[in-house]
Amino acid sequence: MRIAVIGANGGIGRCVVTEALARGHLVTAVVRRPEEYQGLAIRVERGDVLDPADVARVAQGQQAVVSAVGGGDGPGRGRLVEPAAHALVAGLRQLADAAPRLLVVGSAGSLTTAAGTPLWDDPAVPPRQFELMRAHGRALDYLRTVRDLDWTVLSPPQSLLPGERTGTYRSDTDTLVETPDGLSTLSLPDLAVALVDELEHPAHHGERFTCAY
């Protein structure tokens, strides 16, 4: 499969590139500064996720576009997430019937917890992380209005940490995946496993899904 990974220089993006390449896919790493990219890839392209023309250019000829931008809680991340969703859609619409599938890495914030409320309602969520979660929530709300593209959002669990690839996870749609003792965790490599599994065996068209151990 020909896959373009936007945000390939981030923690999630790097893991997605590594996992997809290990399975024999043809991966294009899309980053803002190709000269600084030190990861693996078949090709490296310069691209701005906020520019629909750039999105259309790097998506041309691909079978799937993965957006792994907006992760973490660094300054400005929340201001990137929602505009990026709009630009991705606008860019792919330029390709009309040739538009590839879109898979966006989202946030756990809007997932329903065992208490029946969104995770972002937890008072323990730091303000900066709350704003990022809400930005991802607005991006998801927008994508849910899109009917002319094949899109999917993957929401990580509550805790996404570096770790080993086990190849195992459990999944759900809009409900936080937790263990009986209330833990919702996954390693970065296993999130990439779930994402590439979805690309290879599509099960969530026009909807969000999530995963955890």
Side-chain angles (χ1 to χ4, degrees):
M1 185 182 298
R2 297 182 303 278
I3 304 169
V5 179
I6 301 175
N9 228 3
I12 294 175
R14 283 178 180 270
C15 287
V16 171
V17 170
T18 299
E19 180 68 24
L21 286 173
R23 300 195 198 187
H25 298 298
L26 305 177
V27 182
T28 297
V30 182
V31 294
R32 286 179 297 173
R33 292 181 289 274
E35 65 277 5
E36 297 179 8
Y37 183 71
Q38 298 180 349
L40 303 172
I42 299 299
R43 277 193 324 176
V44 180
E45 291 273 357
R46 184 185 307 274
D48 181 357
V49 72
L50 298 179
D51 183 344
D54 259 12
V55 172
R57 177 178 55 79
V58 299
Q60 182 75 47
Q62 304 291 338
Q63 292 168 280
V65 170
V66 175
S67 174
V69 301
D73 59 354
R77 293 291 191 180
R79 295 190 294 274
L80 169 68
V81 171
E82 189 178 2
H86 286 263
L88 286 163
V89 169
L92 293 184
R93 280 176 170 163
Q94 293 181 24
L95 302 180
D97 291 343
R101 186 177 181 201
L102 172 64
L103 204 155
V104 176
V105 179
S107 163
S110 59
L111 293 169
T112 302
T113 67
T117 58
L119 179 61
W120 60 40
D121 283 353
D122 185 338
V125 174
R128 181 178 287 178
Q129 188 177 1
F130 174 81
E131 291 303 322
L132 180 62
M133 286 178 170
R134 293 307 295 258
H136 276 289
R138 292 189 296 271
L140 176 59
D141 286 344
Y142 168 66
L143 288 171
R144 283 174 167 159
T145 70
V146 175
R147 299 286 184 266
D148 56 331
L149 296 174
D150 186 4
W151 63 268
T152 303
V153 170
L154 170 56
S155 286
Q158 185 172 6
S159 297
L160 186 60
L161 304 169
E164 296 183 358
R165 181 192 187 280
T166 70
T168 61
Y169 58 89
R170 295 178 297 133
S171 62
D172 207 318
T173 51
D174 294 317
T175 302
L176 189 70
V177 177
E178 300 177 272
T179 62
D181 54 359
L183 295 178
S184 177
T185 63
L186 195 68
S187 72
L188 281 164
D190 280 335
L191 184 77
V193 169
L195 189 150
V196 179
D197 282 351
E198 175 64 24
L199 290 178
E200 292 181 343
H201 307 285
H204 302 281
H205 296 281
E207 66 178 14
R208 179 257 299 275
F209 78 106
T210 185
C211 55
Y213 295 128

